[in-house]
Structure formats: C-alpha cells, structure tokens
C-alpha cells in the first residue's frame, strides 16, 4: 500500500536494525484518514472470505481493526492483556510471549463474543515473530471459530512470523512489508502486483 509506505518513510524512526518507531500515526498518535484507507484496503483483500468478526489485541491493533470493522460492517473484539475488574471468568485465555519486550502476557476474550458460527479476521499493527497472532488463533480455536485470514499493517519480513503463518496455508495480508532496517535505511519488499 503506497500511501502507508510513504507515511513510514516520511515519519518512521529507525531505532535499531530490528525496530521502527511509528508513534506519529499508529502507536501513539493515530492518523484517522490513513486508518480509513487501511480499513478499505483490508476489506478489498478479504472480500469473499465471509468474515463475521475481527479479533485484535489491545492497544495498537484497535484503531486499524475498528476502521476495518466499519468498512466490512462487522464487530471488532480486542483481547485484553490485563485482567479487567468486571471480566473474571467465562474467558478464553492464551499466553503470548514477546521476544521484543522479553515478557509473557496472558490475553483473554470473553466467551460471550466468539462462537463456532464466527469466521474471524485476526488483525494487528505489527507482525514480528507472530506470537500475538498465534495467541489470537489459539483463542479463536477454543471458541471453535473459523480463521478467515490475518491482516497486518506493518510486517517485519526479516522476522519469522509471516513465513510460519503462510506455511500453514493462512491468508496473511500485510499492507507494508519491511525487508530491512539496516544502516538506518527502510527498505520494503516489492508489493505484489494486483
Ligand atoms: P510478535 O507478536 O509478532 O511475536 O511481536 P513481538 O512480541 O515482537 O511484539 C511485541 C510488541 O512490540 C507488540 O506491541 C508489537 O506490536 C510491537 N512491535 C514489534 N516490533 C515492532 C516494531 O518494529 N516497531 C513498533 N513500533 N512496535 C513493534 P504491544 O506490546 O502489543 O503493544 P501495543 O502497541 O499494541 O499496546
Ligand atoms: Na500490537
Ligand atoms: Na505495538
């Protein structure tokens, strides 16, 4: 997605060989116009998949997931990372280990909002090693829901998550795929021809 790649080039801050900061439009401040375009793009890419719900993880997955849910006309669920005061049992839970942050979080979704009649689109802001997506797949699985695909705003193609998911036959759509962050330079994978 050209618009997104341009935004990353203009505003992304390369912190290291493996991490890019995009706080100005995705992880802190949100660019609603860009999010709307992102929602439209995912809607095109997953058309015909019979998506009934979007499942993401708080917090940075929520904005792109919400705009996609608006465009598709389906609800959006975000898994919680912390136990909520009002959410106690009746939960699907999964463990998510972050290699980037070196911590493990338990994520949870109420059983009220997922069922075996759902076809889920899993979404997130970043795809690195795929641990968050795996945790969300685990939760969809516990609910007996079908997986319709995985939608990612920025994939780090030099980490293994995307490869592992595609190897399982899952439709993974990333709107920008970073090939390298070496020498403070952002290089993208060529966009597939549409
Ligand atoms: P994984 O799920 O693919 O294995 O990813 P990983 O554990 O590495 O990611 C942990 C957190 O770091 C996630 O955010 C993820 O979105 C974020 N992240 C990973 N790589 C990058 C990067 O290069 N740049 C930025 N800006 N973020 C990255 P989180 O802890 O869930 O936080 P939140 O922002 O969703 O609240
Ligand atoms: Na995230
Ligand atoms: Na994040």
């Amino acid at each position: 997605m050209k618009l997104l790649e341009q935004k990353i080039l203009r505003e992304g801050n390369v912190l290291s060989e493996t991490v890019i900061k995009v706080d100005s439009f995705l992880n802190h401040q949100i660019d609603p116009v860009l999010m709307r375009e992102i929602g439209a793009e995912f809607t095109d890419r997953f058309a015909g998949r019979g998506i009934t719900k979007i499942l993401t993880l708080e917090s940075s997955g929520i904005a792109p997931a919400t705009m996609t849910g608006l465009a598709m006309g389906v609800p959006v669920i975000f898994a919680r990372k912390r136990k909520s005061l009002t959410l106690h049992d009746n939960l699907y839970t999964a463990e998510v280990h972050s290699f980037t942050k070196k911590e493990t979080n338990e994520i949870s979704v109420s059983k009220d909002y997922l069922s075996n009649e759902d076809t889920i689109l899993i979404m997130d802001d970043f795809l690195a090693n795929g641990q968050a997506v795996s945790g969300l797949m685990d939760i969809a699985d516990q609910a007996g829901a079908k997986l319709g695909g995985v939608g990612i705003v920025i994939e780090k193609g030099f980490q293994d998550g995307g490869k592992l998911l595609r190897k399982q036959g899952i439709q993974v759509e990333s709107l920008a795929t970073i090939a390298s962050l070496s020498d403070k330079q952002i290089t993208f994978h060529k966009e597939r021809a549409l």
Side-chain angles (χ1 to χ4, degrees):
M1 189 185 179
K2 268 282 158 281
L3 189 66
L4 175 63
E5 291 186 357
Q6 286 163 357
K7 188 83 168 171
I8 294 168
L9 287 175
R10 231 180 303 124
E11 299 184 19
N13 215 326
V14 180
L15 293 190
S16 72
E17 300 262 301
T18 57
V19 177
I20 179 166
K21 187 167 160 128
V22 287
D23 276 7
S24 70
F25 62 92
L26 186 58
N27 291 138
H28 194 24
Q29 175 171 261
I30 308 277
D31 180 339
V33 174
L34 177 65
M35 290 306 138
R36 184 180 58 196
E37 297 306 313
I38 284 171
E41 181 72 22
F42 280 129
T43 302
D44 279 353
R45 293 196 188 196
F46 290 103
R49 280 274 170 180
I51 305 295
T52 63
K53 269 184 193 178
I54 295 172
L55 178 62
T56 188
L57 182 56
E58 68 176 350
S59 58
S60 299
I62 296 176
T66 301
M67 295 313 284
T68 306
L70 181 64
M72 288 186 177
V74 301
V76 178
I77 308 165
F78 61 93
R80 298 202 177 190
K81 285 176 185 161
R82 268 173 245 293
K83 290 257 154 47
S84 106
L85 211 65
T86 55
L87 198 64
H88 283 297
D89 29 44
N90 198 39
L91 296 174
Y92 299 118
T93 63
E95 299 266 297
V96 174
H97 178 71
S98 166
F99 294 102
T100 311
K101 293 189 167 173
K102 296 180 176 60
E103 61 183 29
T104 300
N105 277 300
E106 189 180 66
I107 64 168
S108 55
V109 171
S110 165
K111 292 184 179 174
D112 289 343
Y113 303 119
L114 275 182
S115 84
N116 59 9
E117 301 193 336
D118 285 313
T119 300
I120 299 298
L121 173 61
I122 289 178
M123 283 186 59
D124 211 351
D125 56 338
F126 271 91
L127 177 62
N129 297 296
Q131 294 299 302
V133 171
S134 296
L136 293 171
M137 282 170 62
D138 184 347
I139 282 176
D141 222 47
Q142 291 173 44
K146 261 180 47 192
L147 180 62
V150 174
I152 300 293
V153 181
I154 303 175
E155 176 174 342
K156 295 195 288 184
F158 51 87
Q159 291 180 289
D160 268 346
K163 205 187 315 167
L164 293 173
L165 295 169
R166 292 182 181 100
K167 222 166 56 188
Q168 299 173 57
I170 297 164
Q171 182 187 353
V172 182
E173 297 288 341
S174 301
L175 303 190
T177 301
I178 295 175
S180 163
L181 293 171
S182 294
D183 306 320
K184 299 271 165 191
Q185 281 287 113
I186 305 166
T187 322
F188 295 105
H189 273 293
K190 287 246 159 34
E191 263 201 282
R192 46 161 213 176
L194 281 172

PDB file of all heavy atoms in Angstrom, residues 99-132:
ATOM      1  N   PHE A  99       9.213 -11.605  22.290  1.00  0.00           N
ATOM      2  CA  PHE A  99      10.672 -11.644  22.234  1.00  0.00           C
ATOM      3  C   PHE A  99      11.229 -10.228  22.289  1.00  0.00           C
ATOM      4  O   PHE A  99      12.301  -9.987  22.832  1.00  0.00           O
ATOM      5  CB  PHE A  99      11.142 -12.346  20.955  1.00  0.00           C
ATOM      6  CG  PHE A  99      10.780 -13.805  20.914  1.00  0.00           C
ATOM      7  CD1 PHE A  99       9.712 -14.247  20.160  1.00  0.00           C
ATOM      8  CD2 PHE A  99      11.511 -14.727  21.653  1.00  0.00           C
ATOM      9  CE1 PHE A  99       9.370 -15.591  20.138  1.00  0.00           C
ATOM     10  CE2 PHE A  99      11.177 -16.072  21.633  1.00  0.00           C
ATOM     11  CZ  PHE A  99      10.097 -16.501  20.866  1.00  0.00           C
ATOM     12  N   THR A 100      10.482  -9.274  21.696  1.00  0.00           N
ATOM     13  CA  THR A 100      10.921  -7.879  21.683  1.00  0.00           C
ATOM     14  C   THR A 100      10.972  -7.319  23.099  1.00  0.00           C
ATOM     15  O   THR A 100      11.936  -6.664  23.493  1.00  0.00           O
ATOM     16  CB  THR A 100       9.957  -7.021  20.823  1.00  0.00           C
ATOM     17  OG1 THR A 100       9.770  -7.679  19.571  1.00  0.00           O
ATOM     18  CG2 THR A 100      10.515  -5.636  20.596  1.00  0.00           C
ATOM     19  N   LYS A 101       9.901  -7.584  23.869  1.00  0.00           N
ATOM     20  CA  LYS A 101       9.819  -6.995  25.210  1.00  0.00           C
ATOM     21  C   LYS A 101      10.280  -7.947  26.303  1.00  0.00           C
ATOM     22  O   LYS A 101      10.322  -7.566  27.475  1.00  0.00           O
ATOM     23  CB  LYS A 101       8.377  -6.563  25.490  1.00  0.00           C
ATOM     24  CG  LYS A 101       7.914  -5.416  24.610  1.00  0.00           C
ATOM     25  CD  LYS A 101       6.563  -4.905  25.087  1.00  0.00           C
ATOM     26  CE  LYS A 101       6.219  -3.573  24.437  1.00  0.00           C
ATOM     27  NZ  LYS A 101       4.844  -3.166  24.765  1.00  0.00           N
ATOM     28  N   LYS A 102      10.571  -9.201  25.920  1.00  0.00           N
ATOM     29  CA  LYS A 102      11.022 -10.219  26.877  1.00  0.00           C
ATOM     30  C   LYS A 102      10.061 -10.363  28.049  1.00  0.00           C
ATOM     31  O   LYS A 102      10.446 -10.344  29.215  1.00  0.00           O
ATOM     32  CB  LYS A 102      12.440  -9.898  27.386  1.00  0.00           C
ATOM     33  CG  LYS A 102      13.462  -9.944  26.258  1.00  0.00           C
ATOM     34  CD  LYS A 102      14.866  -9.640  26.750  1.00  0.00           C
ATOM     35  CE  LYS A 102      15.872  -9.780  25.623  1.00  0.00           C
ATOM     36  NZ  LYS A 102      15.586  -8.837  24.494  1.00  0.00           N
ATOM     37  N   GLU A 103       8.779 -10.474  27.719  1.00  0.00           N
ATOM     38  CA  GLU A 103       7.786 -10.713  28.767  1.00  0.00           C
ATOM     39  C   GLU A 103       6.658 -11.577  28.205  1.00  0.00           C
ATOM     40  O   GLU A 103       6.453 -11.631  26.994  1.00  0.00           O
ATOM     41  CB  GLU A 103       7.214  -9.385  29.311  1.00  0.00           C
ATOM     42  CG  GLU A 103       6.499  -8.561  28.255  1.00  0.00           C
ATOM     43  CD  GLU A 103       5.992  -7.214  28.778  1.00  0.00           C
ATOM     44  OE1 GLU A 103       6.605  -6.658  29.702  1.00  0.00           O
ATOM     45  OE2 GLU A 103       4.977  -6.733  28.243  1.00  0.00           O
ATOM     46  N   THR A 104       5.959 -12.250  29.122  1.00  0.00           N
ATOM     47  CA  THR A 104       4.820 -13.065  28.705  1.00  0.00           C
ATOM     48  C   THR A 104       3.552 -12.475  29.284  1.00  0.00           C
ATOM     49  O   THR A 104       3.498 -12.138  30.465  1.00  0.00           O
ATOM     50  CB  THR A 104       4.994 -14.519  29.180  1.00  0.00           C
ATOM     51  OG1 THR A 104       6.192 -15.036  28.599  1.00  0.00           O
ATOM     52  CG2 THR A 104       3.830 -15.391  28.740  1.00  0.00           C
ATOM     53  N   ASN A 105       2.549 -12.323  28.444  1.00  0.00           N
ATOM     54  CA  ASN A 105       1.259 -11.799  28.877  1.00  0.00           C
ATOM     55  C   ASN A 105       0.190 -12.855  28.683  1.00  0.00           C
ATOM     56  O   ASN A 105       0.218 -13.594  27.700  1.00  0.00           O
ATOM     57  CB  ASN A 105       0.847 -10.602  28.013  1.00  0.00           C
ATOM     58  CG  ASN A 105       1.482  -9.315  28.472  1.00  0.00           C
ATOM     59  OD1 ASN A 105       1.279  -8.884  29.603  1.00  0.00           O
ATOM     60  ND2 ASN A 105       2.266  -8.705  27.603  1.00  0.00           N
ATOM     61  N   GLU A 106      -0.749 -12.896  29.620  1.00  0.00           N
ATOM     62  CA  GLU A 106      -1.928 -13.702  29.379  1.00  0.00           C
ATOM     63  C   GLU A 106      -2.965 -12.798  28.721  1.00  0.00           C
ATOM     64  O   GLU A 106      -3.241 -11.709  29.224  1.00  0.00           O
ATOM     65  CB  GLU A 106      -2.471 -14.263  30.697  1.00  0.00           C
ATOM     66  CG  GLU A 106      -3.557 -15.289  30.453  1.00  0.00           C
ATOM     67  CD  GLU A 106      -4.119 -15.850  31.750  1.00  0.00           C
ATOM     68  OE1 GLU A 106      -4.756 -15.088  32.499  1.00  0.00           O
ATOM     69  OE2 GLU A 106      -3.922 -17.040  32.013  1.00  0.00           O
ATOM     70  N   ILE A 107      -3.493 -13.223  27.587  1.00  0.00           N
ATOM     71  CA  ILE A 107      -4.524 -12.420  26.929  1.00  0.00           C
ATOM     72  C   ILE A 107      -5.862 -13.142  27.066  1.00  0.00           C
ATOM     73  O   ILE A 107      -5.904 -14.369  27.178  1.00  0.00           O
ATOM     74  CB  ILE A 107      -4.184 -12.152  25.444  1.00  0.00           C
ATOM     75  CG1 ILE A 107      -4.151 -13.447  24.622  1.00  0.00           C
ATOM     76  CG2 ILE A 107      -2.852 -11.428  25.330  1.00  0.00           C
ATOM     77  CD1 ILE A 107      -4.114 -13.207  23.121  1.00  0.00           C
ATOM     78  N   SER A 108      -6.931 -12.370  27.094  1.00  0.00           N
ATOM     79  CA  SER A 108      -8.230 -13.013  27.282  1.00  0.00           C
ATOM     80  C   SER A 108      -9.352 -12.338  26.511  1.00  0.00           C
ATOM     81  O   SER A 108      -9.312 -11.133  26.238  1.00  0.00           O
ATOM     82  CB  SER A 108      -8.575 -13.054  28.776  1.00  0.00           C
ATOM     83  OG  SER A 108      -8.510 -11.764  29.321  1.00  0.00           O
ATOM     84  N   VAL A 109     -10.335 -13.157  26.163  1.00  0.00           N
ATOM     85  CA  VAL A 109     -11.540 -12.696  25.460  1.00  0.00           C
ATOM     86  C   VAL A 109     -12.734 -13.382  26.111  1.00  0.00           C
ATOM     87  O   VAL A 109     -12.700 -14.581  26.385  1.00  0.00           O
ATOM     88  CB  VAL A 109     -11.489 -13.090  23.961  1.00  0.00           C
ATOM     89  CG1 VAL A 109     -12.824 -12.820  23.267  1.00  0.00           C
ATOM     90  CG2 VAL A 109     -10.365 -12.362  23.233  1.00  0.00           C
ATOM     91  N   SER A 110     -13.777 -12.620  26.354  1.00  0.00           N
ATOM     92  CA  SER A 110     -14.987 -13.189  26.933  1.00  0.00           C
ATOM     93  C   SER A 110     -15.632 -14.193  25.972  1.00  0.00           C
ATOM     94  O   SER A 110     -15.694 -13.961  24.765  1.00  0.00           O
ATOM     95  CB  SER A 110     -15.994 -12.072  27.237  1.00  0.00           C
ATOM     96  OG  SER A 110     -17.263 -12.643  27.455  1.00  0.00           O
ATOM     97  N   LYS A 111     -16.125 -15.281  26.526  1.00  0.00           N
ATOM     98  CA  LYS A 111     -16.802 -16.290  25.710  1.00  0.00           C
ATOM     99  C   LYS A 111     -18.100 -15.756  25.084  1.00  0.00           C
ATOM    100  O   LYS A 111     -18.643 -16.355  24.170  1.00  0.00           O
ATOM    101  CB  LYS A 111     -17.106 -17.535  26.558  1.00  0.00           C
ATOM    102  CG  LYS A 111     -15.845 -18.281  26.954  1.00  0.00           C
ATOM    103  CD  LYS A 111     -16.139 -19.567  27.722  1.00  0.00           C
ATOM    104  CE  LYS A 111     -14.836 -20.264  28.067  1.00  0.00           C
ATOM    105  NZ  LYS A 111     -15.031 -21.442  28.934  1.00  0.00           N
ATOM    106  N   ASP A 112     -18.564 -14.610  25.597  1.00  0.00           N
ATOM    107  CA  ASP A 112     -19.812 -14.037  25.075  1.00  0.00           C
ATOM    108  C   ASP A 112     -19.698 -13.564  23.627  1.00  0.00           C
ATOM    109  O   ASP A 112     -20.713 -13.403  22.953  1.00  0.00           O
ATOM    110  CB  ASP A 112     -20.228 -12.817  25.919  1.00  0.00           C
ATOM    111  CG  ASP A 112     -20.711 -13.214  27.296  1.00  0.00           C
ATOM    112  OD1 ASP A 112     -21.023 -14.405  27.493  1.00  0.00           O
ATOM    113  OD2 ASP A 112     -20.759 -12.329  28.176  1.00  0.00           O
ATOM    114  N   TYR A 113     -18.473 -13.274  23.177  1.00  0.00           N
ATOM    115  CA  TYR A 113     -18.357 -12.573  21.897  1.00  0.00           C
ATOM    116  C   TYR A 113     -17.745 -13.382  20.761  1.00  0.00           C
ATOM    117  O   TYR A 113     -17.537 -12.850  19.678  1.00  0.00           O
ATOM    118  CB  TYR A 113     -17.572 -11.271  22.099  1.00  0.00           C
ATOM    119  CG  TYR A 113     -18.217 -10.391  23.145  1.00  0.00           C
ATOM    120  CD1 TYR A 113     -17.536 -10.035  24.301  1.00  0.00           C
ATOM    121  CD2 TYR A 113     -19.537  -9.958  22.986  1.00  0.00           C
ATOM    122  CE1 TYR A 113     -18.137  -9.256  25.271  1.00  0.00           C
ATOM    123  CE2 TYR A 113     -20.147  -9.180  23.953  1.00  0.00           C
ATOM    124  CZ  TYR A 113     -19.451  -8.838  25.097  1.00  0.00           C
ATOM    125  OH  TYR A 113     -20.055  -8.070  26.052  1.00  0.00           O
ATOM    126  N   LEU A 114     -17.476 -14.648  21.017  1.00  0.00           N
ATOM    127  CA  LEU A 114     -16.920 -15.502  19.955  1.00  0.00           C
ATOM    128  C   LEU A 114     -17.648 -16.829  19.988  1.00  0.00           C
ATOM    129  O   LEU A 114     -17.859 -17.382  21.067  1.00  0.00           O
ATOM    130  CB  LEU A 114     -15.434 -15.788  20.208  1.00  0.00           C
ATOM    131  CG  LEU A 114     -14.382 -14.796  19.735  1.00  0.00           C
ATOM    132  CD1 LEU A 114     -13.000 -15.339  20.072  1.00  0.00           C
ATOM    133  CD2 LEU A 114     -14.496 -14.524  18.241  1.00  0.00           C
ATOM    134  N   SER A 115     -17.992 -17.354  18.827  1.00  0.00           N
ATOM    135  CA  SER A 115     -18.644 -18.664  18.826  1.00  0.00           C
ATOM    136  C   SER A 115     -18.226 -19.464  17.600  1.00  0.00           C
ATOM    137  O   SER A 115     -17.526 -18.959  16.716  1.00  0.00           O
ATOM    138  CB  SER A 115     -20.164 -18.508  18.850  1.00  0.00           C
ATOM    139  OG  SER A 115     -20.650 -18.317  17.534  1.00  0.00           O
ATOM    140  N   ASN A 116     -18.698 -20.705  17.547  1.00  0.00           N
ATOM    141  CA  ASN A 116     -18.344 -21.569  16.417  1.00  0.00           C
ATOM    142  C   ASN A 116     -19.077 -21.171  15.138  1.00  0.00           C
ATOM    143  O   ASN A 116     -18.922 -21.811  14.111  1.00  0.00           O
ATOM    144  CB  ASN A 116     -18.584 -23.045  16.772  1.00  0.00           C
ATOM    145  CG  ASN A 116     -20.024 -23.309  17.151  1.00  0.00           C
ATOM    146  OD1 ASN A 116     -20.891 -22.438  16.986  1.00  0.00           O
ATOM    147  ND2 ASN A 116     -20.302 -24.496  17.663  1.00  0.00           N
ATOM    148  N   GLU A 117     -19.889 -20.118  15.206  1.00  0.00           N
ATOM    149  CA  GLU A 117     -20.528 -19.623  13.982  1.00  0.00           C
ATOM    150  C   GLU A 117     -19.737 -18.494  13.357  1.00  0.00           C
ATOM    151  O   GLU A 117     -20.097 -17.984  12.292  1.00  0.00           O
ATOM    152  CB  GLU A 117     -21.957 -19.171  14.296  1.00  0.00           C
ATOM    153  CG  GLU A 117     -22.755 -20.322  14.865  1.00  0.00           C
ATOM    154  CD  GLU A 117     -24.245 -20.074  14.921  1.00  0.00           C
ATOM    155  OE1 GLU A 117     -24.663 -18.892  14.960  1.00  0.00           O
ATOM    156  OE2 GLU A 117     -24.973 -21.077  14.945  1.00  0.00           O
ATOM    157  N   ASP A 118     -18.652 -18.099  14.021  1.00  0.00           N
ATOM    158  CA  ASP A 118     -17.873 -16.965  13.518  1.00  0.00           C
ATOM    159  C   ASP A 118     -16.753 -17.379  12.572  1.00  0.00           C
ATOM    160  O   ASP A 118     -16.147 -18.438  12.731  1.00  0.00           O
ATOM    161  CB  ASP A 118     -17.254 -16.185  14.691  1.00  0.00           C
ATOM    162  CG  ASP A 118     -18.283 -15.336  15.413  1.00  0.00           C
ATOM    163  OD1 ASP A 118     -19.047 -14.635  14.716  1.00  0.00           O
ATOM    164  OD2 ASP A 118     -18.332 -15.377  16.659  1.00  0.00           O
ATOM    165  N   THR A 119     -16.515 -16.512  11.604  1.00  0.00           N
ATOM    166  CA  THR A 119     -15.304 -16.582  10.787  1.00  0.00           C
ATOM    167  C   THR A 119     -14.524 -15.301  11.082  1.00  0.00           C
ATOM    168  O   THR A 119     -15.011 -14.194  10.855  1.00  0.00           O
ATOM    169  CB  THR A 119     -15.629 -16.675   9.285  1.00  0.00           C
ATOM    170  OG1 THR A 119     -16.396 -17.864   9.079  1.00  0.00           O
ATOM    171  CG2 THR A 119     -14.355 -16.742   8.453  1.00  0.00           C
ATOM    172  N   ILE A 120     -13.334 -15.507  11.639  1.00  0.00           N
ATOM    173  CA  ILE A 120     -12.584 -14.420  12.250  1.00  0.00           C
ATOM    174  C   ILE A 120     -11.503 -13.889  11.323  1.00  0.00           C
ATOM    175  O   ILE A 120     -10.775 -14.663  10.697  1.00  0.00           O
ATOM    176  CB  ILE A 120     -11.878 -14.969  13.525  1.00  0.00           C
ATOM    177  CG1 ILE A 120     -12.896 -15.485  14.535  1.00  0.00           C
ATOM    178  CG2 ILE A 120     -10.975 -13.931  14.159  1.00  0.00           C
ATOM    179  CD1 ILE A 120     -13.817 -14.423  15.034  1.00  0.00           C
ATOM    180  N   LEU A 121     -11.378 -12.578  11.282  1.00  0.00           N
ATOM    181  CA  LEU A 121     -10.184 -11.952  10.707  1.00  0.00           C
ATOM    182  C   LEU A 121      -9.335 -11.466  11.879  1.00  0.00           C
ATOM    183  O   LEU A 121      -9.782 -10.639  12.678  1.00  0.00           O
ATOM    184  CB  LEU A 121     -10.563 -10.761   9.813  1.00  0.00           C
ATOM    185  CG  LEU A 121      -9.386  -9.921   9.300  1.00  0.00           C
ATOM    186  CD1 LEU A 121      -8.438 -10.745   8.437  1.00  0.00           C
ATOM    187  CD2 LEU A 121      -9.904  -8.708   8.517  1.00  0.00           C
ATOM    188  N   ILE A 122      -8.135 -12.020  12.012  1.00  0.00           N
ATOM    189  CA  ILE A 122      -7.220 -11.576  13.068  1.00  0.00           C
ATOM    190  C   ILE A 122      -6.401 -10.407  12.537  1.00  0.00           C
ATOM    191  O   ILE A 122      -5.907 -10.459  11.409  1.00  0.00           O
ATOM    192  CB  ILE A 122      -6.302 -12.743  13.511  1.00  0.00           C
ATOM    193  CG1 ILE A 122      -7.131 -13.773  14.294  1.00  0.00           C
ATOM    194  CG2 ILE A 122      -5.130 -12.229  14.356  1.00  0.00           C
ATOM    195  CD1 ILE A 122      -6.358 -15.000  14.746  1.00  0.00           C
ATOM    196  N   MET A 123      -6.308  -9.346  13.330  1.00  0.00           N
ATOM    197  CA  MET A 123      -5.553  -8.166  12.883  1.00  0.00           C
ATOM    198  C   MET A 123      -4.571  -7.697  13.944  1.00  0.00           C
ATOM    199  O   MET A 123      -4.792  -7.872  15.131  1.00  0.00           O
ATOM    200  CB  MET A 123      -6.521  -7.011  12.567  1.00  0.00           C
ATOM    201  CG  MET A 123      -7.231  -7.204  11.223  1.00  0.00           C
ATOM    202  SD  MET A 123      -8.236  -5.760  10.783  1.00  0.00           S
ATOM    203  CE  MET A 123      -6.982  -4.477  10.768  1.00  0.00           C
ATOM    204  N   ASP A 124      -3.487  -7.071  13.488  1.00  0.00           N
ATOM    205  CA  ASP A 124      -2.576  -6.404  14.431  1.00  0.00           C
ATOM    206  C   ASP A 124      -1.808  -5.303  13.709  1.00  0.00           C
ATOM    207  O   ASP A 124      -1.790  -5.254  12.483  1.00  0.00           O
ATOM    208  CB  ASP A 124      -1.613  -7.421  15.069  1.00  0.00           C
ATOM    209  CG  ASP A 124      -1.222  -7.024  16.500  1.00  0.00           C
ATOM    210  OD1 ASP A 124      -1.547  -5.908  16.950  1.00  0.00           O
ATOM    211  OD2 ASP A 124      -0.580  -7.849  17.182  1.00  0.00           O
ATOM    212  N   ASP A 125      -1.198  -4.428  14.516  1.00  0.00           N
ATOM    213  CA  ASP A 125      -0.426  -3.331  13.919  1.00  0.00           C
ATOM    214  C   ASP A 125       0.883  -3.851  13.336  1.00  0.00           C
ATOM    215  O   ASP A 125       1.255  -3.520  12.225  1.00  0.00           O
ATOM    216  CB  ASP A 125      -0.183  -2.208  14.939  1.00  0.00           C
ATOM    217  CG  ASP A 125       0.504  -2.679  16.209  1.00  0.00           C
ATOM    218  OD1 ASP A 125       0.443  -3.881  16.532  1.00  0.00           O
ATOM    219  OD2 ASP A 125       1.099  -1.834  16.919  1.00  0.00           O
ATOM    220  N   PHE A 126       1.597  -4.708  14.088  1.00  0.00           N
ATOM    221  CA  PHE A 126       2.888  -5.246  13.649  1.00  0.00           C
ATOM    222  C   PHE A 126       2.854  -6.761  13.624  1.00  0.00           C
ATOM    223  O   PHE A 126       2.191  -7.394  14.451  1.00  0.00           O
ATOM    224  CB  PHE A 126       4.004  -4.820  14.610  1.00  0.00           C
ATOM    225  CG  PHE A 126       4.633  -3.504  14.243  1.00  0.00           C
ATOM    226  CD1 PHE A 126       4.145  -2.308  14.768  1.00  0.00           C
ATOM    227  CD2 PHE A 126       5.707  -3.456  13.369  1.00  0.00           C
ATOM    228  CE1 PHE A 126       4.721  -1.088  14.423  1.00  0.00           C
ATOM    229  CE2 PHE A 126       6.293  -2.256  13.024  1.00  0.00           C
ATOM    230  CZ  PHE A 126       5.799  -1.063  13.549  1.00  0.00           C
ATOM    231  N   LEU A 127       3.602  -7.334  12.703  1.00  0.00           N
ATOM    232  CA  LEU A 127       3.868  -8.774  12.741  1.00  0.00           C
ATOM    233  C   LEU A 127       5.382  -8.942  12.780  1.00  0.00           C
ATOM    234  O   LEU A 127       6.086  -8.502  11.864  1.00  0.00           O
ATOM    235  CB  LEU A 127       3.286  -9.478  11.510  1.00  0.00           C
ATOM    236  CG  LEU A 127       3.555 -10.984  11.398  1.00  0.00           C
ATOM    237  CD1 LEU A 127       2.949 -11.755  12.567  1.00  0.00           C
ATOM    238  CD2 LEU A 127       2.998 -11.533  10.081  1.00  0.00           C
ATOM    239  N   ALA A 128       5.867  -9.545  13.866  1.00  0.00           N
ATOM    240  CA  ALA A 128       7.299  -9.806  14.019  1.00  0.00           C
ATOM    241  C   ALA A 128       7.498 -11.321  14.035  1.00  0.00           C
ATOM    242  O   ALA A 128       7.606 -11.955  12.997  1.00  0.00           O
ATOM    243  CB  ALA A 128       7.820  -9.137  15.285  1.00  0.00           C
ATOM    244  N   ASN A 129       7.476 -11.902  15.228  1.00  0.00           N
ATOM    245  CA  ASN A 129       7.632 -13.365  15.334  1.00  0.00           C
ATOM    246  C   ASN A 129       6.296 -14.110  15.304  1.00  0.00           C
ATOM    247  O   ASN A 129       6.269 -15.334  15.291  1.00  0.00           O
ATOM    248  CB  ASN A 129       8.391 -13.717  16.607  1.00  0.00           C
ATOM    249  CG  ASN A 129       9.797 -13.147  16.578  1.00  0.00           C
ATOM    250  OD1 ASN A 129      10.605 -13.534  15.740  1.00  0.00           O
ATOM    251  ND2 ASN A 129      10.079 -12.203  17.456  1.00  0.00           N
ATOM    252  N   GLY A 130       5.215 -13.360  15.340  1.00  0.00           N
ATOM    253  CA  GLY A 130       3.902 -13.986  15.200  1.00  0.00           C
ATOM    254  C   GLY A 130       3.306 -14.511  16.491  1.00  0.00           C
ATOM    255  O   GLY A 130       2.301 -15.217  16.464  1.00  0.00           O
ATOM    256  N   GLN A 131       3.900 -14.154  17.628  1.00  0.00           N
ATOM    257  CA  GLN A 131       3.399 -14.672  18.900  1.00  0.00           C
ATOM    258  C   GLN A 131       1.996 -14.144  19.228  1.00  0.00           C
ATOM    259  O   GLN A 131       1.157 -14.891  19.721  1.00  0.00           O
ATOM    260  CB  GLN A 131       4.368 -14.322  20.036  1.00  0.00           C
ATOM    261  CG  GLN A 131       5.710 -15.019  19.914  1.00  0.00           C
ATOM    262  CD  GLN A 131       5.573 -16.527  19.959  1.00  0.00           C
ATOM    263  OE1 GLN A 131       5.055 -17.076  20.924  1.00  0.00           O
ATOM    264  NE2 GLN A 131       5.999 -17.199  18.909  1.00  0.00           N
ATOM    265  N   ALA A 132       1.768 -12.871  18.954  1.00  0.00           N
ATOM    266  CA  ALA A 132       0.447 -12.303  19.241  1.00  0.00           C
ATOM    267  C   ALA A 132      -0.618 -12.972  18.370  1.00  0.00           C
ATOM    268  O   ALA A 132      -1.681 -13.371  18.865  1.00  0.00           O
ATOM    269  CB  ALA A 132       0.452 -10.794  19.012  1.00  0.00           C
TER     270      ALA A 132
END
